[in-house]
Coordinates of all heavy atoms in Angstrom, one line a residue:
V61 N -13.2 52.9 -44.7 CA -12.8 52.6 -43.3 C -11.5 52.0 -43.3 O -11.2 51.1 -44.2 CB -13.9 51.6 -42.6 CG1 -13.5 51.2 -41.2 CG2 -15.3 52.2 -42.7
F62 N -10.6 52.5 -42.5 CA -9.2 51.9 -42.6 C -9.0 51.3 -41.1 O -9.1 51.9 -40.1 CB -8.1 53.0 -42.7 CG -6.7 52.5 -42.7 CD1 -6.1 52.1 -43.8 CD2 -6.1 52.4 -41.4 CE1 -4.8 51.4 -43.7 CE2 -4.7 51.8 -41.3 CZ -4.2 51.4 -42.5
L63 N -8.7 50.0 -41.2 CA -8.3 49.2 -39.9 C -6.8 49.0 -39.8 O -6.2 48.3 -40.7 CB -9.2 47.9 -39.9 CG -9.0 47.2 -38.6 CD1 -9.6 47.7 -37.5 CD2 -9.7 45.7 -38.8
S64 N -6.3 49.6 -38.8 CA -4.7 49.2 -38.7 C -4.6 47.8 -38.3 O -3.6 47.1 -38.9 CB -4.1 50.2 -37.6 OG -4.6 49.9 -36.3
H65 N -5.3 47.3 -37.4 CA -5.2 45.9 -37.0 C -6.3 45.3 -36.3 O -7.3 46.1 -35.9 CB -3.9 45.6 -36.1 CG -3.9 46.2 -34.8 ND1 -3.9 47.8 -34.7 CD2 -4.0 45.7 -33.6 CE1 -3.9 47.9 -33.3 NE2 -3.9 46.7 -32.7
R66 N -6.5 44.2 -36.1 CA -7.8 43.5 -35.8 C -8.1 43.4 -34.3 O -9.2 42.8 -33.9 CB -8.0 42.2 -36.5 CG -7.2 41.1 -35.9 CD -7.3 39.9 -36.9 NE -6.3 38.8 -36.4 CZ -6.6 37.8 -35.6 NH1 -7.9 37.8 -35.1 NH2 -5.8 36.8 -35.2
H67 N -7.2 43.9 -33.5 CA -7.7 43.9 -32.0 C -8.9 44.7 -31.7 O -9.2 45.6 -32.4 CB -6.5 44.5 -31.2 CG -5.4 43.6 -31.0 ND1 -4.0 44.0 -30.8 CD2 -5.2 42.2 -31.0 CE1 -3.2 42.8 -30.6 NE2 -4.0 41.8 -30.9
L68 N -9.6 44.1 -30.9 CA -11.1 44.6 -30.6 C -11.1 46.0 -30.2 O -12.1 46.8 -30.6 CB -11.7 43.8 -29.4 CG -12.5 42.6 -29.8 CD1 -13.2 42.1 -28.5 CD2 -13.5 42.9 -30.8
D69 N -10.1 46.6 -29.5 CA -10.2 48.1 -29.2 C -10.1 48.9 -30.4 O -10.4 50.2 -30.5 CB -9.1 48.5 -28.1 CG -7.7 48.0 -28.5 OD1 -7.5 47.1 -29.2 OD2 -6.8 48.6 -28.0
H70 N -9.7 48.3 -31.6 CA -9.6 49.0 -32.8 C -10.8 48.7 -33.8 O -11.1 49.3 -34.7 CB -8.2 48.7 -33.6 CG -7.0 49.4 -32.7 ND1 -6.4 50.3 -33.1 CD2 -6.6 48.8 -31.6 CE1 -5.5 50.6 -32.1 NE2 -5.5 49.6 -31.3
S71 N -11.2 47.4 -33.6 CA -12.1 46.8 -34.7 C -13.6 46.5 -34.2 O -14.3 46.2 -35.0 CB -11.5 45.6 -35.2 OG -11.6 44.7 -34.2
A72 N -13.9 46.7 -32.9 CA -15.2 46.0 -32.4 C -16.4 46.5 -33.2 O -17.4 45.8 -33.3 CB -15.3 46.3 -31.0
D73 N -16.4 47.8 -33.7 CA -17.6 48.3 -34.3 C -17.5 48.2 -35.8 O -18.3 49.0 -36.5 CB -17.9 49.8 -33.9 CG -19.1 49.8 -32.8 OD1 -19.4 48.8 -32.2 OD2 -19.7 50.9 -32.7
I74 N -16.5 47.6 -36.3 CA -16.3 47.8 -37.9 C -17.5 47.2 -38.6 O -17.8 47.9 -39.6 CB -15.0 47.1 -38.3 CG1 -14.6 47.5 -39.7 CG2 -15.0 45.6 -38.2 CD1 -13.2 47.5 -40.1
N75 N -18.1 46.2 -38.2 CA -19.2 45.7 -38.9 C -20.5 46.6 -38.9 O -21.2 46.8 -39.7 CB -19.6 44.3 -38.4 CG -18.5 43.3 -38.8 OD1 -18.2 43.1 -39.9 ND2 -17.8 42.8 -37.7
S76 N -20.7 47.3 -37.7 CA -21.8 48.2 -37.6 C -21.5 49.4 -38.5 O -22.5 49.9 -39.1 CB -21.9 48.7 -36.1 OG -22.1 47.6 -35.2
I77 N -20.3 50.0 -38.5 CA -20.0 50.9 -39.3 C -20.2 50.6 -40.9 O -20.8 51.3 -41.5 CB -18.5 51.5 -39.2 CG1 -18.3 52.0 -37.7 CG2 -18.0 52.5 -40.2 CD1 -19.1 53.4 -37.4
I78 N -19.7 49.5 -41.2 CA -19.9 49.0 -42.6 C -21.4 48.9 -42.9 O -21.8 49.3 -44.1 CB -19.2 47.6 -42.9 CG1 -17.7 47.7 -42.7 CG2 -19.6 47.1 -44.2 CD1 -16.9 46.4 -42.8
E79 N -22.1 48.3 -42.1 CA -23.6 48.2 -42.3 C -24.1 49.5 -42.5 O -25.1 49.7 -43.5 CB -24.2 47.4 -41.1 CG -25.6 46.9 -41.3 CD -25.6 45.5 -42.1 OE1 -24.7 44.9 -42.2 OE2 -26.9 45.1 -42.3
S80 N -23.9 50.5 -41.7 CA -24.3 51.8 -41.8 C -23.9 52.5 -43.1 O -24.6 53.2 -43.8 CB -23.9 52.6 -40.5 OG -24.5 54.0 -40.7
M81 N -22.5 52.3 -43.5 CA -22.0 53.0 -44.6 C -22.7 52.4 -45.8 O -22.8 53.2 -46.8 CB -20.4 52.6 -44.7 CG -19.7 53.2 -45.8 SD -17.9 52.7 -45.8 CE -17.8 51.2 -46.3
T82 N -23.1 51.2 -45.9 CA -23.7 50.7 -47.0 C -25.2 50.6 -47.0 O -25.8 49.9 -47.8 CB -23.2 49.3 -47.3 OG1 -23.5 48.4 -46.1 CG2 -21.8 49.3 -47.5
S83 N -25.8 51.5 -46.1 CA -27.2 51.5 -45.8 C -27.8 50.1 -45.7 O -28.8 49.8 -46.3 CB -27.9 52.3 -47.1 OG -27.4 53.5 -47.3
G84 N -27.2 49.4 -44.8 CA -27.8 48.0 -44.4 C -27.5 47.1 -45.6 O -28.3 46.1 -45.8
G85 N -26.5 47.3 -46.4 CA -26.2 46.4 -47.5 C -27.1 46.8 -48.8 O -26.9 46.1 -49.7
R86 N -27.8 47.9 -48.7 CA -28.7 48.1 -50.0 C -27.9 48.9 -50.9 O -28.3 48.9 -52.2 CB -30.0 48.9 -49.5 CG -31.0 48.1 -48.8 CD -32.3 48.8 -48.7 NE -32.3 50.0 -47.9 CZ -32.4 50.0 -46.6 NH1 -32.6 48.9 -46.0 NH2 -32.4 51.1 -46.0
N87 N -26.9 49.7 -50.6 CA -26.1 50.5 -51.5 C -24.8 50.1 -51.5 O -24.1 50.0 -50.5 CB -26.1 52.0 -51.1 CG -27.5 52.6 -51.3 OD1 -28.4 52.3 -52.2 ND2 -27.7 53.5 -50.4
Y88 N -24.2 49.8 -52.7 CA -22.7 49.5 -52.9 C -22.0 50.9 -52.6 O -22.3 51.9 -53.3 CB -22.3 48.9 -54.2 CG -21.0 48.6 -54.4 CD1 -20.5 47.3 -54.1 CD2 -19.9 49.5 -54.7 CE1 -19.2 47.0 -54.3 CE2 -18.6 49.3 -54.8 CZ -18.3 47.9 -54.6 OH -16.9 47.6 -54.7
H89 N -21.2 50.9 -51.6 CA -20.6 52.1 -51.2 C -19.4 51.9 -50.4 O -19.2 51.1 -49.4 CB -21.5 53.0 -50.3 CG -21.1 54.3 -50.0 ND1 -20.9 55.3 -50.9 CD2 -20.6 54.8 -48.7 CE1 -20.2 56.3 -50.2 NE2 -20.2 56.0 -49.0
G90 N -18.3 52.8 -50.9 CA -17.0 52.8 -50.0 C -16.1 51.7 -50.0 O -16.3 50.7 -50.9
A91 N -15.1 51.7 -49.4 CA -14.1 50.6 -49.3 C -13.6 50.4 -47.9 O -13.8 51.3 -47.0 CB -12.8 51.2 -50.0
V92 N -13.1 49.2 -47.6 CA -12.7 48.8 -46.3 C -11.2 48.3 -46.5 O -11.0 47.4 -47.3 CB -13.4 47.8 -45.5 CG1 -12.9 47.4 -44.2 CG2 -15.0 48.3 -45.3
L93 N -10.2 48.9 -45.8 CA -8.9 48.6 -46.0 C -8.6 47.9 -44.6 O -8.7 48.5 -43.6 CB -7.9 49.8 -46.2 CG -8.2 50.5 -47.5 CD1 -9.2 51.6 -47.3 CD2 -6.9 50.9 -48.1
A94 N -7.9 46.8 -44.6 CA -7.6 46.1 -43.4 C -6.5 44.9 -43.7 O -6.5 44.5 -44.8 CB -8.8 45.4 -42.7
P95 N -5.8 44.7 -42.8 CA -4.7 43.5 -43.0 C -5.4 42.3 -43.3 O -6.5 42.0 -43.0 CB -4.0 43.5 -41.6 CG -4.2 44.8 -40.9 CD -5.7 45.1 -41.4
S96 N -4.6 41.3 -43.9 CA -5.3 40.1 -44.4 C -5.9 39.3 -43.3 O -6.9 38.5 -43.4 CB -4.4 39.3 -45.4 OG -3.3 39.1 -44.6
D97 N -5.2 39.3 -42.1 CA -5.7 38.4 -41.0 C -7.1 38.9 -40.4 O -7.7 38.1 -39.7 CB -4.6 38.2 -40.0 CG -4.3 39.4 -39.1 OD1 -4.7 40.6 -39.5 OD2 -3.4 39.4 -38.2
A98 N -7.5 40.2 -40.7 CA -8.7 40.6 -40.3 C -9.8 40.2 -41.2 O -11.1 40.2 -40.9 CB -8.7 42.2 -40.3
W99 N -9.4 39.7 -42.5 CA -10.3 39.2 -43.4 C -10.4 37.7 -43.4 O -11.4 37.1 -43.6 CB -10.0 39.6 -44.9 CG -9.9 41.0 -45.2 CD1 -8.8 41.9 -45.1 CD2 -11.0 41.8 -45.6 NE1 -9.1 43.1 -45.5 CE2 -10.4 43.2 -45.7 CE3 -12.4 41.7 -45.8 CZ2 -11.2 44.3 -46.3 CZ3 -13.2 42.8 -46.3 CH2 -12.6 44.0 -46.5
D100 N -9.2 37.1 -43.2 CA -9.0 35.6 -43.7 C -9.0 34.7 -42.5 O -9.6 33.6 -42.5 CB -7.9 35.5 -44.5 CG -8.1 36.2 -45.8 OD1 -9.2 36.4 -46.3 OD2 -7.2 36.8 -46.2
S101 N -8.1 35.0 -41.4 CA -8.0 34.0 -40.2 C -8.6 34.7 -39.1 O -8.3 35.8 -38.8 CB -6.5 33.7 -40.0 OG -5.8 35.0 -39.8
D102 N -9.7 33.9 -38.4 CA -10.3 34.6 -37.3 C -10.8 36.0 -37.6 O -10.5 36.9 -37.0 CB -9.4 34.5 -36.0 CG -10.1 34.8 -34.8 OD1 -11.4 34.7 -34.8 OD2 -9.6 35.1 -33.7
P103 N -11.5 36.1 -38.7 CA -11.7 37.4 -39.3 C -12.7 38.3 -38.4 O -13.6 37.7 -37.8 CB -12.6 37.0 -40.6 CG -13.0 35.8 -40.4 CD -12.1 35.0 -39.5
V104 N -12.4 39.5 -38.3 CA -13.3 40.5 -37.5 C -14.3 41.1 -38.5 O -15.3 41.7 -38.0 CB -12.5 41.6 -36.8 CG1 -11.6 40.9 -35.7 CG2 -11.6 42.4 -37.7
I105 N -14.0 41.0 -39.8 CA -15.0 41.6 -40.8 C -16.0 40.4 -41.3 O -15.4 39.5 -41.9 CB -14.2 42.2 -42.0 CG1 -13.3 43.3 -41.4 CG2 -15.3 42.9 -43.0 CD1 -12.2 43.8 -42.4
L106 N -17.1 40.6 -40.9 CA -18.2 39.5 -41.3 C -18.2 39.5 -42.9 O -18.0 40.4 -43.7 CB -19.5 39.8 -40.8 CG -19.6 39.8 -39.3 CD1 -21.0 40.5 -38.9 CD2 -19.4 38.4 -38.8
G107 N -18.6 38.1 -43.3 CA -18.5 37.8 -44.7 C -19.8 38.2 -45.5 O -19.5 38.6 -46.6
Y108 N -20.9 38.3 -44.8 CA -22.2 38.4 -45.6 C -22.3 39.7 -46.4 O -23.0 39.8 -47.3 CB -23.4 38.1 -44.7 CG -23.7 39.2 -43.8 CD1 -24.5 40.2 -44.2 CD2 -23.3 39.2 -42.5 CE1 -24.9 41.2 -43.3 CE2 -23.5 40.3 -41.6 CZ -24.4 41.3 -42.0 OH -24.8 42.2 -41.1

Side-chain angles (χ1 to χ4, degrees):
V61 179
F62 179 90
L63 181 66
S64 65
H65 68 292
R66 69 188 176 93
H67 281 155
L68 265 191
D69 51 336
H70 297 254
S71 70
D73 254 22
I74 195 162
N75 294 296
S76 305
I77 293 290
I78 291 170
E79 194 81 5
S80 180
M81 180 176 79
T82 58
S83 307
R86 283 196 296 276
N87 294 326
Y88 183 94
H89 179 71
V92 176
L93 298 94
S96 54
D97 65 354
W99 298 96
D100 302 324
S101 56
D102 192 13
V104 294
I105 301 167
L106 294 171
Y108 75 89

